[in-house]
């Protein structure tokens, strides 16, 4: 999750990526996504992954998936995730980010 | 020491930082506080400190000193501690740190804890970062938990099992018995994770795959229930019941049905049902449809189903949502190979997508359009594609241009259309076309004999407009050089003839030479073109002047050419017309069975290169001349130049390399030969670039006398070239038994069309008298059809002051030479 200025609010890696490389990777990905216009579709090709991103007000949620994954279903998943967070914390917005860190552990 | 601040405060403080430096400062301060707190072994606040550390880690700051603290937290009895400890372990630890092994015991205990939440935590962590050793130790526990009745634990255990299998594939069999009951669960969470587990197992091992095929009916039933069941609030997403589970099941069905007829048949009904019943107004429905389409494409479904799938994709294309169009284009690209006709139906929509604003959609539409081009729709499609080429981004232009060339080559309805299309591409996207398009275009132009006048006229006009696009300029100058006389004479049936005078043409070409926009390669082309025009135009003096000016040019390539052309004017003026005659039709490398002209064309190139070597003048030059007379003359130079752009080394250097190698008489042609023009077919070159030819003397092929008259005796000796057994290498030995030398000796040979012939340079062209020595020359004959070898030879030499010419047929080749 990143905000409009590109600052990372939350990141979860399912593969081992070195700490130093993470910041660069995130910045790179985010630059690709933030530059997109409204008419462009939400799937971007990045190296050998696909990025699915979705914007909610000032927050961008980006998920990196592999080639054989169904992009549309991940798109749905992102929305589902945000809906759950919304229901749980009743306000999806900037303040959400604070809470998210604390309770991320439950979301596996 | 005051109580450490809570995480929330920390986050708030960090958010107030305005610059990166400020943030770093705050974090360092906090890190120092945390470190001293750790040293004090403060139990109450450890969990808070580790939480803060995790936040800082997520922002990108090093936090490895917290690893041991995480372990301590895991070992504690409080749930809150355990929770943060496990979270920390998942984020900070991985198998590369040695510390993680210490966790194994803790996890083991927690897996057997009385509280399910603790067990859940342990399963999560193991499934997230367990190393292979940990997995091996704890697999038994996981397997036990997979069988419990607690659905919360079962689903976590299933996911953990997925990770274990990924790390240690050998343990897959251990989980097999537990999977038996997994699919009969009611709980969607468990169902979902078990489908994931089954998918993972099937992907990893083909045995598992065949084992699980019998589950297909069960899966179909589950899917059916999902679709048919009414509204259930806990699984509903925008009106569809648990779409995530549906998608997972569809994917598993895809894996199970791939390549297997029975399973595919069992799935046909349900796939059709899903495809027709799913509501498409929301993205959710579309996601399910997409997965269904992918499944239908991969399994052995019946054709009706496939047509249904492609129609769904067609409908996607018309959808306003660009995500869906993107997805549709991607899948159509995958299926266009197999279901070509069905995709053709949607061609117009695809072509419309070329005009879309989104870059990824445009790219996919372009690729798909190229895949869909065929003989029927070529004209329409090409119009669209050319329009697209005009307006697209630069990164597309190269791909689009190459695609257009390929398509035009395969399906061009007429030569004129082909040439027009290529010219259009060159004028619009000239600087982006690939390097080999220039020689391809030149070859195309030479082949369409009747279009020469038209082509040169159009190219001339294009040159007048714009000289910045290098490929266009190169092709145009080559054509003007070749067909300048047609241009000046003004005959052209296809278009309005234009009046062009010789001076105007020379003006244009000279303009190219001096212009800053021209690359060195282009300058080379135009200089050669000017030279060629010396035989076709009458204003030779002007050309001589231009050529001599460039004899002192700074560019080495240009200088070399100018000097050699100058030499042509001065010393070899008698050869000039022959050398600069029209090029014969060239064949492409891909074609098999090129004509004889091509073969020796390749050879004369080698000999003409010898003429460039100014020192060794007389002997190869006259041979070149004679060979040219035999074969209708050519001007090879520009063809060689076309290979120059493909090599980064300096152009002059290359020619010298070729020269250096060719000065070996009778030796094999050098490895740069493959880059020498495409008129050389590949199979001969295979033989050429391999080991020296003469190390494999075929045992037992007897030499033969091919010709013996007037004191001149020519003997053939045979070898088989290595590695191609179809190539016979014949070495001729010419000896002279008369008292006078035979000078200017030239040996030429021609073979029937089913053969290919190549002559290498002779050792000399003086056959010394009284058998004092001999002239040797190597001939290579390719005989793919193993027909009887026949050859016609022509000999010319000067004996006792008078020229002698003789023709003979050689038919008495020994059978072993061509079998």
């Amino acid at each position: 999750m990143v905000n409009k200025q590109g600052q990372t609010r939350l990141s979860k890696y399912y593969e081992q990526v070195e700490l130093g490389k993470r910041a660069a990777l995130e910045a790179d990905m985010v630059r690709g996504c933030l530059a997109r216009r409204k008419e462009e579709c939400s799937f971007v090709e990045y190296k050998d992954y696909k990025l699915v991103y979705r914007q909610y007000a000032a927050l961008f949620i980006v998920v990196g998936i592999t080639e054989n994954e169904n992009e549309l279903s991940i798109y749905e998943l992102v929305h589902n995730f945000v809906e759950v967070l919304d229901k749980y914390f009743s306000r999806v917005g900037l303040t959400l980010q604070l809470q998210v860190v604390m309770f991320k552990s439950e979301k596996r | 020491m005051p109580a450490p601040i809570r995480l929330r405060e920390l986050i708030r403080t960090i958010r107030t930082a305005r610059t990166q430096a400020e943030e770093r400062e705050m974090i360092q301060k906090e890190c120092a506080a945390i470190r001293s707190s750790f040293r004090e072994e403060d139990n109450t606040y450890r969990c808070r400190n580790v939480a803060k550390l995790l936040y800082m880690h997520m922002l990108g700051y090093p936090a490895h000193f917290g690893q041991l603290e995480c372990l301590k937290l895991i070992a504690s009895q409080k749930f809150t501690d355990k929770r943060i400890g496990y979270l920390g372990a998942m984020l900070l630890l991985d198998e590369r740190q040695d510390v993680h092994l210490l966790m194994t015991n803790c996890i083991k205990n927690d897996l057997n804890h009385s509280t399910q939440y603790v067990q859940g935590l342990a399963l999560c962590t193991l499934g997230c970062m367990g190393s292979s050793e940990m997995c091996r130790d704890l697999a038994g526990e996981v397997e036990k938990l997979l069988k419990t009745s607690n659905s919360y634990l079962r689903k976590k255990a299933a996911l953990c099992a997925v990770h274990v299998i990924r790390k240690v594939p050998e343990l897959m069999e251990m989980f097999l018995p537990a999977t038996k009951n997994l699919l009969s669960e009611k709980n969607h969470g468990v169902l979902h994770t078990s489908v994931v587990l089954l998918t993972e197992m099937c992907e990893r091992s083909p045995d598992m795959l065949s084992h699980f095929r019998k589950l297909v009916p069960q899966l179909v039933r589950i899917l059916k229930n999902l679709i048919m069941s009414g509204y259930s609030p806990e699984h509903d997403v925008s009106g569809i019941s648990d779409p995530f589970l549906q998608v997972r099941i569809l994917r598993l069905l895809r894996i199970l049905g791939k390549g297997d007829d029975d399973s595919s048949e069992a799935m046909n009904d349900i796939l059709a049902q899903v495809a027709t019943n799913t509501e498409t107004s929301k993205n959710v429905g579309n996601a399910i449809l997409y997965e269904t389409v992918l499944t239908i494409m991969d399994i052995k479904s019946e054709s009706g189903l496939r047509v249904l799938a492609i129609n769904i994709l067609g409908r996607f294309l018309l959808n306003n949502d660009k995500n869906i169009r993107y997805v549709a284009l991607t899948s159509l690209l995958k299926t266009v190979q197999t279901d070509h006709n069905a995709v053709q139906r949607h061609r117009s929509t695809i072509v419309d997508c070329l005009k879309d604003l989104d870059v990824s959609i445009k790219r996919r539409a372009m690729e798909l359009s190229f895949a869909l081009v065929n003989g029927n729709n070529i004209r329409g499609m090409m119009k669209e594609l050319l329009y697209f080429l005009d307006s697209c981004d630069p990164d597309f232009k190269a791909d689009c241009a190459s695609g257009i060339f390929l398509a035009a080559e395969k399906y061009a309805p007429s030569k004129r259309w082909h040439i027009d299309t290529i010219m259009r591409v060159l004028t619009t996207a000239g600087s982006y076309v690939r390097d080999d398009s220039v020689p391809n275009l030149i070859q195309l132009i030479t082949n369409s004999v009747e279009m020469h006048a038209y082509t040169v006229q159009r190219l001339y006009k294009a040159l007048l407009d714009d000289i910045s696009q290098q490929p266009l300029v190169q092709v145009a100058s080559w054509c003007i050089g070749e067909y300048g006389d047609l241009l000046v004479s003004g005959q052209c049936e296809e278009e309005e003839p234009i009046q062009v005078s010789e001076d105007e043409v020379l003006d244009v070409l000279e303009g190219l030479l001096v212009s800053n926009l021209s690359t060195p390669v282009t300058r080379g082309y135009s200089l050669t073109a000017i030279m060629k025009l010396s035989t076709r135009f009458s204003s030779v003096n002007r050309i001589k002047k231009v050529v001599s000016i460039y004899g002192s040019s700074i560019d080495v390539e240009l200088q070399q050419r100018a000097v050699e052309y100058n030499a042509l004017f001065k010393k070899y003026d008698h050869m000039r017309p022959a050398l600069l005659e029209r090029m014969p039709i060239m064949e492409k490398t891909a074609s098999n069975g090129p004509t004889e002209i091509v073969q020796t064309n390749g050879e004369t190139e080698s000999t003409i290169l010898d003429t460039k070597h100014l020192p060794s003048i007389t002997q190869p030059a006259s041979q070149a001349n004679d060979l040219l007379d035999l074969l209708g003359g050519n001007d090879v130079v520009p063809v060689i130049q076309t290979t120059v752009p493909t090599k980064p080394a300096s152009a002059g250097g290359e020619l010298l390399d070729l020269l250096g190698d060719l000065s070996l008489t009778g030796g094999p042609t050098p490895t740069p030969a493959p880059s020498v023009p495409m008129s050389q077919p590949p199979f001969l070159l295979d033989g050429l670039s391999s080991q020296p030819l003469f190390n494999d003397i075929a045992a037992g092929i007897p030499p033969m006398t091919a010709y013996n008259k007037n004191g001149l005796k020519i003997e053939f000796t045979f070898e088989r070239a290595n590695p191609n057994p179809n190539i016979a290498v014949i070495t001729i030995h010419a000896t002279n038994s008369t008292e006078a030398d035979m000078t200017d000796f030239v040996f030429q040979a021609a073979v029937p069309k089913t053969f290919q012939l190549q002559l290498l340079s002779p050792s000399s062209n003086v056959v010394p008298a009284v058998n004092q020595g001999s002239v040797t020359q190597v001939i290579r004959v390719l005989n793919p059809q193993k027909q009887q070898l026949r050859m016609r030879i022509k000999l010319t030499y000067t004996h006792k002051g008078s020229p002698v010419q003789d023709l003979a047929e050689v038919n008495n080749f020994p059978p072993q030479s061509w079998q």
Side-chain angles (χ1 to χ4, degrees), chain B residues 298-542:
Chain B
D298 265 350
I299 65 174
K300 293 192 175 204
S301 48
E302 51 184 24
S303 59
L305 209 49
R306 294 182 93 94
V307 170
L308 178 62
I310 298 207
N311 287 345
I312 292 180
L313 288 178
R315 245 188 318 171
F316 273 4
L317 275 180
L318 298 168
N319 196 310
N320 284 331
D321 187 352
K322 35 198 172 20
N323 292 333
I324 296 185
R325 267 188 291 168
Y326 172 91
V327 148
L329 284 174
T330 317
S331 352
L332 279 174
L333 202 52
K334 282 187 234 167
T335 62
V336 76
Q337 310 297 331
T338 41
D339 295 272
H340 194 96
N341 293 333
V343 183
Q344 280 282 0
R345 233 173 286 145
H346 303 282
R347 191 169 50 85
S348 46
T349 339
I350 294 174
V351 166
D352 279 336
C353 286
L354 279 174
K355 308 196 184 94
D356 197 286
L357 292 162
D358 183 313
V359 159
S360 350
I361 290 187
K362 272 203 276 208
R363 178 171 281 280
R364 275 170 171 65
M366 178 179 86
E367 287 169 12
L368 204 48
S369 310
F370 282 132
L372 284 178
V373 167
N374 65 20
N376 297 332
N377 55 28
I378 179 76
R379 284 193 196 256
M381 288 290 271
M382 199 47 82
K383 232 190 333 210
E384 294 286 336
L385 287 169
L386 285 172
Y387 181 69
F388 175 64
L389 183 66
D390 275 336
S391 53
C392 69
D393 295 332
D395 11 315
F396 282 142
K397 287 206 178 175
D399 290 331
C400 192
S402 336
I404 291 183
F405 282 151
L406 273 169
E409 212 176 286
K410 276 201 267 194
Y411 302 111
S414 75
K415 288 224 165 123
R416 172 173 169 161
W417 181 91
H418 196 173
I419 291 185
D420 278 342
T421 313
I422 297 193
M423 281 206 48
R424 175 91 187 272
V425 173
L426 284 180
T427 41
T428 45
S431 18
Y432 300 99
V433 297
R434 281 206 334 249
D435 293 334
D436 62 351
S437 56
V438 173
N440 286 345
L441 179 55
I442 290 181
Q443 189 243 328
L444 176 67
I445 293 178
T446 46
N447 281 345
S448 39
V449 175
E450 65 281 4
M451 302 294 307
H452 283 166
Y454 169 72
T455 316
V456 70
Q457 198 168 3
R458 279 208 63 189
L459 284 172
Y460 178 74
K461 277 198 255 185
L463 253 194
L464 286 178
D465 284 330
D466 168 30
I467 58 171
S468 63
Q469 312 251 39
Q470 294 305 303
L472 179 64
V473 172
Q474 285 167 9
V475 174
S477 49
W478 189 91
C479 281
I480 293 179
E482 277 290 304
Y483 310 120
D485 46 337
L486 291 175
L487 183 61
V488 172
S489 65
Q491 17 154 286
C492 175
E493 313 99 30
E494 309 257 357
E495 262 194 20
E496 285 288 312
I498 54 174
Q499 293 303 331
V500 183
S501 76
E502 295 183 355
D503 280 325
E504 286 173 357
V505 174
L506 286 173
D507 280 338
V508 169
L509 287 175
E510 280 184 46
L512 285 177
L513 275 175
V514 296
S515 157
N516 285 334
L517 294 168
S518 307
T519 63
V521 173
T522 314
R523 294 212 177 97
Y525 268 95
S526 46
L527 188 60
T528 307
I530 292 181
M531 189 60 197
K532 282 196 238 180
L533 288 175
S534 71
T535 46
R536 299 167 181 38
F537 281 3
S538 50
S539 45
V540 181
N541 289 326
R542 179 167 174 188

Side-chain angles (χ1 to χ4, degrees), chain A residues 9 39 41-42 45 70 98, chain B residues 58 291 322-323 358 364:
Chain A
R9 293 293 177 214
E39 318 83 49
C41 71
S42 314
E45 266 140 47
N70 182 343
L98 302 176
Chain B
M58 200 180 70
E291 193 71 32
K322 35 198 172 20
N323 292 333
D358 183 313
R364 275 170 171 65

